[in-house]
Amino acid sequence: MEEKKELGAEPVEAEETAVAALAALAVEDGETPLDKNVRLMSPTRMVLRRFFRSKLSIVGLVMLVTLFLFCWLGPTVYHRWGEIETDRTGRVVYQEYEAGTEEDPFMQVIVTDKGINLYAEPSAGHLLGTDEKGMDVFTRLMYGGRLSLTISFLAVLLTSAIGIVLGGIAGYYGGWVDNVIMRICDVLMCLPTLPLMLIIGTVLDANNVPSEYYIYLLMGILSLFSWTGMARLVRGQILFLREQEYMVAAEAMGYSTPRRIFKHLLPNVLPQILVSMTMSLGSMILYESTLSYLGLGVQIPYASWGSMVQVISGNNYVLQNYFNVWGPPGICIIIAVLGFNFIGDGLRDALDPKQRR
Amino acid sequence: MFKYILKRLGISVLILLGVSFLLYALLRCMPTDFVDSKILQFQQSTPEGVTEEFKQLMYKTYGLDGNIIEGYNDWLSNFCLLDFGKSFVNQRDVLSEIFSADKLGTSFMIAAIATIFEFLIAIPLGITAATHQYSVRDYVVTILVLIGISLPSFFFGQMLKNIFAIELGWFPPAGMSDESRTYVGFAKFMDYARHMFLPVLTVVILFIGGRMRMTRTNMLEVMNSDYIRTARAKGLSEGKVIYKHAFRNTLIPVVTGLAGLIPSLFSGAMITEEVFDLSGIGQYALDSMMQGDIPVIMTYNMFLAFLSVMGVLLADLMYAVVDPRVKLA
């Protein structure tokens, strides 16, 4: 098995074949070989075992599964209100005044039909009350979650794709290609993100982008500026792995470049990529909600967690009196980001080859 | 060494050129710039409207008459002569606008105080977490770290403001100082401190997690190295091993990291300033952005870009100074 490794088979695979060979040996022998007391496990299983041993990762997993079920199954179960449906049942408000004189008393009643039932208290009709436009907070929480989670997944996929390809090219080919890509990285890292998004937001506004697609476009453009971290990570790993013996062997065996990259290099960078992607899912949700809070993200009337918190921006009255409107979306953001971070942390520990616990 | 620094400086100039061109091009892409809205104002105030020549004259006065490349050339040649221009909005010198005590000063104060507290709290906590790996202490610190980096700044800031300023009334909810009274001496300082407390607390809690995690990882790496095993084998006390041998080496990345922190001291916390209604540089940059005040935005962002490029270079140089094993090539 040592030879196999040297000959350029990818280490993970080599280990697997070794495990299979040992197991076959055990069956053939009939008797107990040395491994009777040794549990044979594939690397994947070992990683999974380490992952599930950590309580934090399980907590994170539970948090996220609950959120996903809430957002995607929620609206099918609880469909009293739509995402952008205003509660027009309204309340008729009676204000009574004592009027008239001592001898001729009469009551004056002012009847105001409020039309829209806004800032309603939590009740059976509205589990979390209604917001400033009379829309059901609980329902918007579910639809907003769909949007926030979908967007962060798409954005992370896009940034990672760009980062992996460019970082891989830079690390593998080196020389002037590496130099050019890394300088582009440096330039992009010097650009301030939030002001940049403000400019792009106004440009999108001027071009009359439909409000359903607005946030997707904005996050897409944000991805074009934020792939630098991933590219650096991949480049660093590939620079290190390129010099390893098994890569030299792969080259000596005359394997084609795509085979060397995709079969031998990438699987060994994958652990770091996975951890970084999980962590950046959390930070993308934070980005999206911050943009929405600044009024740049999801456009009215559609909901996202960030835009639901926006009602308290510069409005101390709502901040003080209507926690049921702005609290739940904020808590949802924290749960989602925390869940991704817990899982990322657990994955990092589980995938760390130095750790053998 | 000298050659290395020269090479790095050359690259830095290239990077700054790239940043400035991208920013300028993006700013000029903004649909309604400052001059447009100015012309619109004139159009509304004068009954006969404005002539085409007047419009051209306006664009020329503000240096926006050419296309993006020409405009960028003009801007660059002025910038190289250290002529940063005047703010479109109030015609004041850009430098005195940005580098004023109530804008950059405020943001710098908040960031500096917060950074000091972050390090004071994060380093001891990170070290105990590392020396007691897998203990209850380690888990508590790790969970706190993860919670800290998961908080959305706007939500957390508003929460603090709601609880401590509005409900309990311990701290003022907004602003820099109590305008209804005039304090002198120590009372003035206390008033200022009371206003700064919540913003600083927000920033500290949001960023402490990252620092704590960095210290913990570094310490773990050092604790696993050979010379620590040697120190233990020599029979040194655990306290000596940790604080004399390990701790000093943990400080290497912390010290070099300090250089990388320079830009963050000046960048201002846009969201925190918005929440607590402070007149910091973050708010000012946001306002200038909304008004299309090109000289201000360009100068301020180039200042930040310059700081971050220099910060990276300085961090690399410090690394070689602090750690004799590192050689720059």
Side-chain angles (χ1 to χ4, degrees):
Chain A
M1 52 189 269
E2 273 312 304
E3 266 169 25
K4 255 188 189 159
K5 242 183 206 172
E6 298 259 302
L7 282 178
E10 168 221 340
V12 177
E13 242 180 31
E15 236 172 274
E16 263 168 1
T17 34
V19 168
L22 259 180
L25 208 77
V27 176
E28 260 172 37
D29 246 13
E31 285 189 28
T32 26
L34 56 132
D35 68 305
K36 193 63 184 172
N37 299 321
V38 183
R39 282 252 298 286
L40 294 171
M41 272 195 288
S42 71
T44 324
R45 267 187 64 193
M46 262 157 68
V47 166
L48 282 180
R49 220 174 79 119
R50 278 201 297 251
F51 178 76
F52 283 111
R53 191 186 279 166
S54 140
K55 287 189 191 70
L56 272 190
S57 9
I58 295 177
V59 171
L61 215 56
V62 169
M63 280 156 77
L64 281 180
V65 168
T66 324
L67 265 189
F68 272 92
L69 288 181
F70 173 67
C71 295
W72 265 271
L73 289 185
T76 56
V77 177
Y78 181 83
H79 43 69
R80 281 184 76 149
W81 304 99
E83 181 190 6
I84 51 175
E85 185 184 347
T86 308
D87 180 3
R88 292 193 185 279
T89 56
R91 293 164 294 181
V92 181
V93 182
Y94 299 97
Q95 283 172 299
E96 298 178 0
Y97 296 99
E98 297 268 2
T101 53
E102 199 73 20
E103 298 86 52
D104 183 22
F106 65 93
M107 206 72 130
Q108 191 180 15
V109 180
I110 300 177
V111 183
T112 4
D113 184 3
K114 287 229 165 159
I116 295 170
N117 185 12
L118 41 87
Y119 288 129
E121 292 289 310
S123 63
H126 296 283
L127 288 180
L128 287 170
T130 57
D131 64 4
E132 81 282 4
K133 288 181 202 66
M135 299 181 191
D136 187 59
V137 173
F138 190 72
T139 309
R140 281 174 79 76
L141 209 56
M142 299 190 281
Y143 283 101
R146 280 187 183 185
L147 199 84
S148 295
L149 292 169
T150 317
I151 284 170
S152 70
F153 265 99
L154 290 179
V156 167
L157 282 183
L158 190 56
T159 29
S160 311
I162 303 174
I164 291 170
V165 170
L166 288 181
I169 291 174
Y172 190 80
Y173 290 105
W176 67 270
V177 183
D178 180 29
N179 251 324
V180 169
I181 293 179
M182 283 299 111
R183 292 299 84 76
I184 296 175
C185 261
D186 288 337
V187 168
L188 291 184
M189 280 173 114
C190 277
L191 286 175
T193 321
L194 270 183
L196 202 73
M197 287 296 108
L198 285 175
I199 301 178
I200 291 164
T202 51
V203 173
L204 288 186
D205 271 340
N207 289 321
N208 289 326
V209 177
S211 54
E212 303 100 286
Y213 305 125
Y214 187 88
I215 183 72
Y216 292 99
L217 253 167
L218 196 69
M219 291 302 279
I221 297 171
L222 176 66
S223 312
L224 294 185
F225 286 97
S226 52
W227 49 269
T228 51
M230 183 59 90
R232 285 182 162 226
L233 179 100
V234 173
R235 171 182 175 264
Q237 277 299 311
I238 285 189
L239 275 184
F240 166 72
L241 290 173
R242 205 175 57 168
E243 304 302 323
Q244 302 287 302
E245 275 101 348
Y246 78 94
M247 278 315 289
V248 180
E251 200 170 350
M253 300 274 288
Y255 289 162
S256 65
T257 311
R259 181 166 175 186
R260 286 209 299 269
I261 294 179
F262 290 109
K263 196 130 182 13
H264 299 290
L265 273 182
L266 268 187
N268 287 298
V269 196
L270 210 60
Q272 277 94 341
I273 294 178
L274 265 182
V275 171
S276 157
M277 277 174 80
T278 325
M279 293 295 217
S280 48
L281 273 173
S283 53
M284 273 300 172
I285 291 187
L286 282 183
Y287 252 125
E288 185 273 322
S289 55
T290 309
L291 287 176
S292 296
Y293 176 78
L294 287 175
L296 275 173
V298 179
Q299 300 296 297
I300 296 164
Y302 298 98
S304 97
W305 290 336
S307 63
M308 289 173 75
V309 183
Q310 201 203 351
V311 285
I312 51 172
S313 164
N315 190 341
N316 279 352
Y317 180 71
V318 180
L319 175 69
Q320 198 175 357
N321 294 309
Y322 299 108
F323 183 78
N324 62 314
V325 175
W326 62 272
I331 293 168
C332 278
I333 297 173
I334 297 180
I335 293 177
V337 182
L338 207 56
F340 284 125
N341 280 338
F342 277 165
I343 291 178
D345 202 60
L347 270 183
R348 187 209 311 269
D349 281 352
L351 289 169
D352 188 358
K354 271 190 252 167
Q355 198 161 15
R356 292 282 175 223
R357 228 165 63 98
Chain B
M1 184 77 171
F2 184 66
K3 219 177 137 189
Y4 173 80
I5 297 178
L6 265 188
K7 192 181 147 206
R8 285 290 299 265
L9 282 178
I11 292 175
S12 305
V13 171
L14 270 184
I15 293 173
L16 287 180
L17 277 178
V19 172
S20 62
F21 182 71
L22 256 180
L23 254 181
Y24 190 85
L26 276 170
L27 280 175
R28 288 292 298 268
C29 284
M30 276 174 83
T32 47
D33 54 21
F34 180 75
V35 180
D36 281 340
S37 41
K38 199 98 184 169
I39 290 173
L40 205 68
Q41 271 177 27
F42 277 113
Q43 216 147 23
Q44 279 158 356
S45 56
T46 48
E48 62 269 25
V50 287
T51 56
E52 197 55 37
E53 287 120 70
F54 180 75
K55 277 187 194 173
Q56 290 308 318
L57 196 71
M58 284 288 281
Y59 278 114
K60 206 167 169 56
T61 335
Y62 287 103
L64 297 176
D65 48 340
N67 60 17
I68 290 179
I69 306 288
E70 285 168 22
Y72 179 70
N73 271 338
D74 284 349
W75 175 84
L76 190 64
S77 46
N78 285 335
F79 193 81
C80 291
L81 297 171
L82 299 181
D83 173 15
F84 302 114
K86 290 190 163 70
S87 159
F88 283 175
V89 176
N90 56 15
Q91 290 303 315
R92 292 238 294 274
D93 197 43
V94 166
L95 280 191
S96 60
E97 272 285 282
I98 294 174
F99 294 94
S100 61
D102 62 328
K103 293 194 186 96
L104 199 60
T106 312
S107 296
F108 179 77
M109 277 293 284
I110 294 177
I113 297 171
T115 310
I116 292 171
F117 275 108
E118 279 161 27
F119 277 103
L120 281 184
I121 301 169
I123 290 180
L125 279 182
I127 287 176
T128 47
T131 52
H132 298 78
Q133 202 186 359
Y134 304 126
S135 69
V136 178
R137 213 183 289 185
D138 186 27
Y139 279 117
V140 171
V141 169
T142 311
I143 293 174
L144 285 182
V145 164
L146 289 173
I147 291 178
I149 56 176
S150 305
L151 290 171
S153 50
F154 55 93
F155 183 72
F156 184 63
Q158 297 276 23
M159 277 290 261
L160 284 183
K161 182 171 146 185
N162 190 25
I163 296 171
F164 292 107
I166 298 177
E167 296 285 337
L168 295 173
W170 293 353
F171 299 99
M176 303 280 303
S177 55
D178 195 343
E179 268 143 22
S180 59
R181 277 175 240 182
T182 42
Y183 293 104
V184 278
F186 186 67
K188 188 174 179 181
F189 171 76
M190 282 311 290
D191 182 50
Y192 194 66
R194 265 166 47 86
H195 280 85
M196 288 294 109
F197 184 84
L198 284 181
V200 170
L201 184 68
T202 314
V203 177
V204 167
I205 292 181
L206 287 177
F207 287 98
I208 203 167
R211 312 235 183 283
M212 214 136 68
R213 161 174 274 162
M214 196 180 77
T215 321
R216 179 176 175 269
T217 326
N218 291 334
M219 191 71 183
L220 277 180
E221 211 149 277
V222 173
M223 293 298 283
N224 285 330
S225 52
D226 291 341
Y227 58 83
I228 295 297
R229 196 184 307 140
T230 314
R232 285 204 174 117
K234 280 198 304 188
L236 291 182
S237 69
E238 192 60 23
K240 240 184 183 161
V241 171
I242 291 172
Y243 293 104
K244 195 142 187 269
H245 293 252
F247 179 59
R248 289 191 177 184
N249 284 292
T250 312
L251 280 184
I252 294 176
V254 175
V255 170
T256 54
L258 278 180
L261 275 181
I262 300 172
S264 73
L265 288 179
F266 294 94
S267 60
M270 216 181 252
I271 303 288
T272 313
E273 284 168 17
E274 194 264 348
V275 169
F276 291 102
D277 202 12
L278 303 171
S279 62
I281 192 76
Q283 270 295 296
Y284 181 64
L286 193 72
D287 290 344
S288 317
M289 190 69 79
M290 295 296 191
Q291 289 166 318
D293 198 343
I294 293 178
V296 172
I297 307 167
M298 285 304 287
T299 312
Y300 174 60
N301 282 317
M302 287 318 289
F303 170 63
L304 284 187
F306 173 76
L307 282 184
S308 56
V309 168
M310 285 299 118
V312 175
L313 176 57
L314 210 63
D316 286 354
L317 293 181
M318 292 262 281
Y319 208 59
V321 173
V322 182
D323 190 346
R325 288 169 297 187
V326 174
K327 283 220 160 50
L328 296 175

